[in-house]
Amino acid sequence: MSGVKRKFNRWLSYFDQLPLAYRFAVAFALPVAAILWMSIVNALELQKTAEKLQTLNNSIALISNAGKLLGALQNERNASVLYSASDKPQFKDALAASRRQTDQQLQRLNQQLTATEGHYRQLALYRNVNEIVRGLDKLPELRSDIEQKKLTYRQVKSAYSSPIQQFNQQISILSRDVSKADFSRALNAYFILNRLRDLIGQERELLGLAVVNNTISDADAQQLIYLMGRQTTLLVGLQSQSSIPERYSLAGAVFKLRDGLMPAADNPATLLSVVKNDAWLQQQTQLLDKIQQVEQNLVDAVKQQAETAYRKSSGQLLRYLTIVPVTLLAALVFSWLILRHVRHRLTLSSKVFNHTQDRITVTDPTGVIVDVNPAFTRVTGYQKSEVIGQRSSILQSGKQSKSFYKAMWEKLLKDGSWQGELWNRRKNGEIYAELTSISAIKNQHGHVQNYIGISSDITDQAFEHQRELEYRAYHDSLTRLPNVMLVRDRLEHALSIAARNEENIVVASLDIDNFKYINSRCGHVVGDQVIEALAKRLRGMLRKGDTLGRVAGDEFLMVIEERHSLREVHTILERMLTEIPEPLSIDGQTVKITASIGATVYPEDNTDADTLIRHSTQSLHNAKREGRNRINWFDAKQERIHNKTAELISRLDIAMKNNELELFYQPKVNMKTCEIVGVEALLRWRDPERGLVPPGDFLPAIEEHPFSIQVGNWVIEAAIAQCQQWQAEGIRLPVSININALQLLDEDFVESICERLRRYPDVGPELLELEVLESAAIGKIHVAAKVLTKCKRLGINVSLDDFGTGYAALDYLKRLPAQTLKIDQTFVRDMLNDESDEAIVKGIIGLAEAFGFAVIAEGIETEQQGVKLLQLGCELGQGFGIARPMPAEQLPDWINNWQCFDSWRDVSMK
């Protein structure tokens, strides 16, 4: 498809190169040829119509004379039949008269055939009528046989009937072949009249024979009735075909004659009496004369109509042959005038196009070049023939990105125009700049037909402008200091050198304190002068090779390359804080300012340039929060911890969404009765890459972060859901959940638990136990006490976890509504070998008894530790010696298989 399009464009370009007159002639040749062709076709059609009408006119004249001959033959047939049947003198006289009439009509018809032989020899009607007439050459022989009585009247009738039928057939054919409706109806009427006259003639024959023979047979009577009916049918058809008024009187005469015969047709005697009456014969003779008159009137009317149509058609042909040439001549004159006007305008446009000093390029909607002016060659070095059919991108230098040209085309398509600078490449490879304006040329439908680009060479101005733009792009317009982009580039370069030479780099951000107040009190003009003065003062404090830049507003950024020691850098920054407050004289006003500085040191803060700048800005904000007019150094170690925590929280958030978190459960038992009294829910993280992550690797890091509340809520939900599932399996065990300080003191904590208990109605609050760290409630013990009291009222149990490791006082135990104290595993683990740990365990058990708390020990790893705890009065315990934490699906099997130590039973029995 593209190949066809290129060929079309090539031929179109050839056409565009032709002189205007030639292109104009080619453009007008097709419509003129079409008009001539249609004119000739229409003229031929009109001529053919006129010829058809002339032929029809002559055919009607021929049929008219043939009809008259037909009437004469019908009369001669009637007279011949009656003469053959009888020798009465009146029949012989009638026969002689009819023969004279026939001979006269035959002579007229022969004369007409001879006169029109040269023009109408090819017409079928002429040939057929001529053939019928030639057949009448035997008529003298037939007449001789009739006079000599060699033929019966029936043979006579048959001999005359053949040419009569042939004439009737030709009249019928002509009426069917005529396409014009008026002519067709008139000729049909003429045919009906001939048939009617023939039927009346046959009727006279039958009745005449009846008179001659003085009788009528039944067959002839039936034939007579048939002929009467046919006449009536023809009269009805005549009324629908002809518009001649005589048809009404003719029909009345026929029906009047029928009315006299129809009643007598069934009685031969009556019929003979009617027929012998001279009145009937007179009426019938008058009727035949009337029919013949109607025929003549009808033929005359058709002739007149045909002649009128012929004259009209001939006149139309003449007018057409006159108007068409005049119209074409006028069109050619008008076209010549248009050509003169267009040539004048195009000549003017061509002069402008060819003599302008700017490069002009015309493309199609896809960017293919279709025309260029001479300046194009002068500017680019390309000849016109080299670029026609090429895309306009042939000039692209590659200096501007694809996104630039994409945005240019988007604006062109949206607005229909674009203006800007283009960096193009000449044919010799030289890059140059142009100021280009591109506009879309649309057709009458609003579709883009062409793009026209006008370009001016601005290479010298562009390079100067580019240098100015580059300077502005990397320098602050007010202070002429490097901006943040240039400072960043220099910092990256300094970092690459410092990494090789193991040197330190200090990045410092400086900001004027309360600069908004200076702007509001003294105005922005004074504020700008203050910034300029400060920039000059700061440049004087820094060493050669250090970088000072203005970031924005009143904030400056410094890159100090420390070639000696950090002490020197500290000295420089301290000097700034000392000298900046010295008064400034601005337009007669004395302005005094202070500044805050934030700084970070590479490689202690071992990050990239952007991060170093961000850390220095962060430290600057800290300096302002700490009271302003001071230096704040960035703590890289603390930042790394913070970043690590943020990364861990992000990973845990994904883990929760991907169902990577799960709960393990560690059983709690009564070592005295060997009963299982509950389980503790412990959070585990099954990382797809690291496997099962120990809780110590992630829980302590998020304990003081608000995200821990989200994790804690997930634990509560999962534990309650598992508790309900166990109940469905027939296992009813209390579940204890660890709650940190942030979650306990959250204002929505109690409502959150209630909401989750409502979701799982089969889990009663008594099956839920909250394990709160002793240290969790010390900070806000009154708030913690209220929260735990609400939980206790709901029926939820409370346990103080890791008791003994915090700083609780007796008042603390008194105020907290807990039911259980959990002895920390650090005391249980060494109590058999360390008397002080044993004393602490014994003391916690005593406190629990004194305050009415239940007590449970965690971290039981050996049988002996359990024995010792039982001896000290602690019956509840958990630890690896009893069971390790396990997934929920393993707990039912453990419950079925667990047995306590015999030594524990022995201690219980004592």
Side-chain angles (χ1 to χ4, degrees):
M1 192 69 181
S2 59
V4 175
K5 188 175 182 180
R6 284 196 296 270
K7 290 182 180 179
F8 175 77
N9 289 333
R10 189 180 300 114
W11 282 107
L12 190 60
S13 65
Y14 293 155
F15 178 79
D16 291 340
Q17 293 172 10
L18 292 174
L20 178 62
Y22 289 177
R23 284 183 282 168
F24 205 86
V26 171
F28 272 88
L30 291 177
V32 169
I35 292 173
L36 286 174
W37 178 79
M38 289 187 292
S39 300
I40 293 172
V41 170
N42 290 336
L44 291 175
E45 288 293 330
L46 288 173
Q47 183 181 3
K48 189 181 296 184
T49 301
E51 290 177 353
K52 287 182 178 180
L53 289 172
Q54 180 62 33
T55 302
L56 177 62
N57 199 4
N58 287 281
S59 297
I60 291 172
L62 183 61
I63 285 298
S64 174
N65 289 326
K68 291 177 180 179
L69 177 59
L70 175 62
L73 284 174
Q74 290 172 345
N75 289 334
E76 185 175 343
R77 180 187 63 184
N78 294 339
S80 297
V81 169
L82 292 175
Y83 177 77
S84 299
S86 172
D87 292 333
K88 292 182 179 182
Q90 66 266 31
F91 293 148
K92 186 174 183 178
D93 294 338
L95 177 60
S98 65
R99 285 179 178 178
R100 285 193 301 272
Q101 185 183 8
T102 299
D103 291 339
Q104 290 174 0
Q105 296 300 331
L106 182 58
Q107 183 180 4
R108 292 177 183 174
L109 185 58
N110 273 319
Q111 290 173 354
Q112 184 180 13
L113 289 173
T114 302
T116 57
E117 179 178 6
H119 294 88
Y120 301 106
R121 181 181 295 275
Q122 302 300 325
L123 293 177
L125 176 65
Y126 175 85
R127 294 196 302 271
N128 294 337
V129 171
N130 191 48
E131 184 178 350
I132 297 171
V133 171
R134 295 292 175 265
L136 293 178
D137 292 342
K138 298 179 181 180
L139 188 59
E141 181 181 351
L142 174 62
R143 290 173 176 175
S144 177
D145 290 342
I146 293 173
E147 289 175 356
Q148 297 176 14
K149 301 291 184 176
K150 293 181 179 181
L151 302 174
T152 65
Y153 73 89
R154 295 187 184 277
Q155 291 174 331
V156 171
K157 182 178 181 180
S158 177
Y160 278 97
S161 295
S162 178
I164 290 173
Q165 290 177 357
Q166 291 177 356
F167 275 122
N168 276 327
Q169 184 178 7
Q170 293 306 311
I171 296 173
S172 175
I173 291 174
L174 181 61
S175 67
R176 292 198 305 267
D177 290 345
V178 174
S179 58
K180 197 168 180 58
D182 294 341
F183 292 161
S184 178
R185 285 195 297 269
L187 290 173
N188 282 334
Y190 183 72
F191 168 72
I192 291 172
L193 288 172
N194 275 278
R195 293 293 300 152
L196 180 62
R197 188 171 57 183
D198 184 38
L199 293 175
I200 293 175
Q202 293 180 43
E203 179 184 306
R204 290 182 69 183
E205 291 173 10
L206 290 175
L207 295 175
L209 290 173
V211 172
V212 171
N213 297 327
N214 200 26
T215 184
I216 185 169
S217 65
D218 293 338
D220 289 341
Q222 292 298 322
Q223 180 66 19
L224 181 62
I225 295 173
Y226 168 74
L227 292 174
M228 293 178 185
R230 287 291 306 279
Q231 292 170 30
T232 303
T233 302
L234 288 175
L235 285 172
V236 174
L238 179 64
Q239 290 178 344
S240 65
Q241 295 296 327
S242 176
S243 59
I244 299 177
E246 284 82 357
R247 70 179 185 270
Y248 299 108
S249 58
L250 177 62
V254 173
F255 287 126
K256 181 179 180 181
L257 186 62
R258 296 285 72 75
D259 292 341
L261 290 177
M262 286 296 292
D266 293 335
N267 189 338
T270 306
L271 181 60
L272 286 174
S273 65
V274 173
V275 173
K276 289 179 180 181
N277 186 356
D278 291 338
W280 171 83
L281 182 59
Q282 185 180 1
Q283 289 179 6
Q284 195 172 45
T285 301
Q286 293 174 356
L287 177 61
L288 289 173
D289 293 339
K290 193 174 188 64
I291 290 175
Q292 187 172 359
Q293 183 62 42
V294 172
E295 284 181 344
Q296 186 60 45
N297 293 342
L298 186 60
V299 168
D300 292 341
V302 172
K303 282 183 178 181
Q304 183 65 34
Q305 190 176 5
E307 289 176 0
T308 302
Y310 173 73
R311 288 195 299 271
K312 183 177 180 182
S313 178
S314 299
Q316 186 177 2
L317 176 60
L318 180 61
R319 288 193 300 274
Y320 193 84
L321 292 177
T322 303
I323 292 173
V324 168
V326 173
T327 303
L328 284 176
L329 180 61
L332 290 175
V333 172
F334 186 66
S335 301
W336 178 73
L337 293 175
I338 293 175
L339 174 61
R340 287 191 59 194
H341 176 72
V342 171
R343 178 179 290 174
H344 174 73
R345 295 298 297 272
L346 288 180
T347 301
L348 179 61
S349 300
S350 177
K351 288 180 179 178
V352 174
F353 186 77
N354 292 324
H355 291 84
T356 182
Q357 297 301 309
D358 292 334
R359 175 176 70 85
I360 299 177
T361 308
V362 182
T363 72
D364 66 6
T366 64
V368 176
I369 299 174
V370 298
D371 198 8
V372 296
N373 67 337
F376 183 96
T377 300
R378 187 181 67 254
V379 173
T380 67
Y382 287 100
Q383 296 297 322
K384 182 175 182 179
S385 59
E386 294 179 289
V387 295
I388 296 298
Q390 299 288 336
R391 297 189 67 84
S392 56
S393 58
I394 189 176
L395 299 177
Q396 289 182 9
S397 63
K399 193 171 181 178
Q400 289 164 307
S401 64
K402 292 181 179 179
S403 60
F404 170 83
Y405 290 102
K406 181 181 178 182
M408 180 186 76
W409 277 102
E410 287 177 351
K411 190 175 188 306
L412 263 177
L413 295 174
K414 178 183 178 182
D415 302 334
S417 62
W418 178 88
Q419 185 174 7
E421 290 185 7
L422 289 177
W423 286 90
N424 288 333
R425 188 184 300 274
R426 308 186 205 272
K427 185 178 180 180
N428 61 7
E430 179 185 350
I431 295 178
Y432 69 102
E434 290 183 311
L435 179 62
T436 301
S437 175
I438 304 175
S439 300
I441 301 175
K442 299 182 179 180
N443 57 22
Q444 63 272 24
H445 302 295
H447 299 147
V448 175
Q449 185 173 346
N450 294 100
Y451 289 106
I452 181 168
I454 303 176
S455 304
S456 302
D457 192 336
I458 56 167
T459 305
D460 295 338
Q461 302 94 308
F463 277 116
E464 181 63 29
H465 182 59
Q466 185 177 15
R467 286 191 292 270
E468 178 65 22
L469 288 178
E470 288 177 354
Y471 184 85
R472 291 183 180 180
Y474 291 100
H475 289 80
D476 174 49
S477 59
L478 178 64
T479 63
R480 315 299 287 179
L481 292 175
N483 61 14
V484 66
M485 294 176 60
L486 183 55
V487 173
R488 180 186 176 281
D489 289 344
R490 292 183 180 180
L491 175 57
E492 285 186 339
H493 178 68
L495 288 174
S496 63
I497 296 175
R500 292 195 301 269
N501 300 334
E502 297 183 354
E503 295 178 346
N504 295 328
I505 293 178
V506 174
V507 179
S509 294
L510 182 147
D511 185 85
I512 301 175
D513 297 330
N514 299 315
F515 184 71
K516 291 182 180 180
Y517 174 74
I518 295 175
N519 273 334
S520 62
R521 183 172 67 88
C522 303
H524 288 280
V525 175
V526 174
D528 289 345
Q529 293 177 348
V530 168
I531 290 174
E532 289 183 89
L534 177 61
K536 183 177 181 181
R537 184 173 291 182
L538 291 175
R539 274 198 300 265
M541 297 179 193
L542 292 176
R543 303 163 304 176
K544 185 178 180 180
D546 294 336
T547 299
L548 171 66
R550 183 188 178 202
V551 177
D554 61 326
E555 185 177 347
F556 295 85
L557 184 63
M558 295 172 282
V559 177
I560 305 173
E561 300 181 33
E562 189 267 303
R563 297 181 177 85
H564 301 288
S565 65
L566 284 175
R567 183 186 299 275
E568 185 178 356
V569 176
H570 278 273
T571 301
I572 293 173
L573 297 180
E574 292 291 345
R575 180 186 168 196
M576 289 181 180
L577 291 181
T578 302
E579 295 185 5
I580 287 175
E582 293 182 4
L584 296 170
S585 179
I586 306 295
D587 288 342
Q589 301 184 53
T590 300
V591 180
K592 187 175 181 180
I593 60 174
T594 60
S596 299
I597 300 175
T600 185
V601 181
Y602 173 87
E604 180 182 343
D605 186 3
N606 192 7
T607 53
D608 57 17
D610 291 329
T611 307
L612 288 171
I613 294 173
R614 180 167 55 83
H615 287 172
S616 69
T617 304
Q618 182 178 333
S619 299
L620 171 63
H621 295 161
N622 290 337
K624 286 183 172 291
R625 282 195 297 268
E626 291 171 1
R628 297 185 175 87
N629 194 22
R630 67 187 63 233
I631 301 173
N632 182 276
W633 291 87
F634 179 76
D635 189 341
K637 182 178 179 181
Q638 186 62 34
E639 182 68 12
R640 284 193 292 273
I641 294 174
H642 175 75
N643 291 339
K644 187 176 180 180
T645 302
E647 182 180 353
L648 175 62
I649 289 173
S650 176
R651 183 66 189 88
L652 279 173
D653 185 47
I654 296 174
M656 282 199 298
K657 294 176 181 177
N658 295 341
N659 297 320
E660 296 175 13
L661 299 183
E662 60 179 293
L663 293 181
F664 277 32
Y665 298 90
Q666 187 176 34
K668 300 178 181 180
V669 300
N670 188 316
M671 296 180 290
K672 181 176 181 180
T673 62
C674 296
E675 294 177 335
I676 301 171
V677 296
V679 292
E680 180 180 0
L682 301 171
L683 182 62
R684 295 293 185 267
W685 177 14
R686 198 175 296 276
D687 191 295
E689 297 178 357
R690 300 164 57 190
L692 196 61
V693 182
D697 289 357
F698 65 93
L699 285 179
I702 67 170
E703 187 171 359
E704 296 181 2
H705 194 281
F707 182 73
S708 63
I709 298 176
Q710 187 176 345
V711 174
N713 288 335
W714 183 91
V715 171
I716 293 173
E717 175 107 13
I720 294 175
Q722 184 60 55
C723 191
Q724 179 166 290
Q725 182 178 343
W726 278 335
Q727 286 199 112
E729 298 174 1
I731 301 174
R732 182 178 173 84
L733 285 176
V735 178
S736 59
I737 303 169
N738 293 286
I739 305 297
N740 68 8
L742 284 179
Q743 188 175 14
L744 177 65
L745 300 177
D746 182 55
E747 59 183 9
D748 296 327
F749 175 68
V750 177
E751 179 59 31
S752 175
I753 293 180
C754 293
E755 173 63 26
R756 285 165 173 78
L757 286 173
R758 284 193 290 269
R759 293 181 194 170
Y760 302 94
D762 294 339
V763 179
E766 70 278 1
L767 295 179
L768 190 63
E769 183 181 50
L770 305 181
E771 293 194 5
V772 183
L773 288 174
E774 176 188 352
S775 59
I778 290 178
K780 296 182 178 179
I781 189 170
H782 61 286
V783 178
K786 289 181 180 179
V787 173
L788 294 178
T789 299
K790 291 180 180 178
C791 293
K792 187 176 181 180
R793 289 173 182 170
L794 292 173
I796 300 172
N797 297 309
V798 178
S799 172
L800 293 181
D801 193 14
D802 295 346
F803 191 79
T805 59
Y807 306 97
L810 294 179
D811 182 60
Y812 179 86
L813 294 179
K814 178 182 177 182
R815 295 174 62 182
L816 290 180
Q819 289 97 342
T820 304
L821 297 181
K822 178 178 278 191
I823 304 173
D824 188 68
Q825 60 182 341
T826 57
F827 305 127
V828 175
R829 184 183 304 116
D830 297 327
M831 69 177 181
L832 297 179
N833 302 318
D834 191 330
E835 293 182 356
S836 59
D837 286 342
E838 180 182 351
I840 291 174
V841 171
K842 187 182 298 184
I844 292 173
I845 294 173
L847 282 174
E849 291 178 355
F851 283 92
F853 290 112
V855 64
I856 182 172
E858 63 177 354
I860 300 173
E861 298 180 354
T862 64
E863 180 181 354
Q864 290 75 18
Q865 289 173 344
V867 171
K868 185 64 175 177
L869 288 169
L870 285 170
Q871 290 174 347
L872 294 175
C874 178
E875 299 178 356
L876 305 179
Q878 68 180 97
F880 288 176
I882 298 172
R884 289 179 175 273
M886 64 189 74
E889 60 270 15
Q890 296 179 8
L891 187 65
D893 289 340
W894 182 88
I895 293 174
N896 293 331
N897 298 323
W898 181 75
Q899 292 182 353
C900 63
F901 296 105
D902 293 338
S903 58
W904 293 358
R905 291 193 183 92
D906 295 340
V907 173
S908 300
M909 294 176 64
K910 291 181 181 180

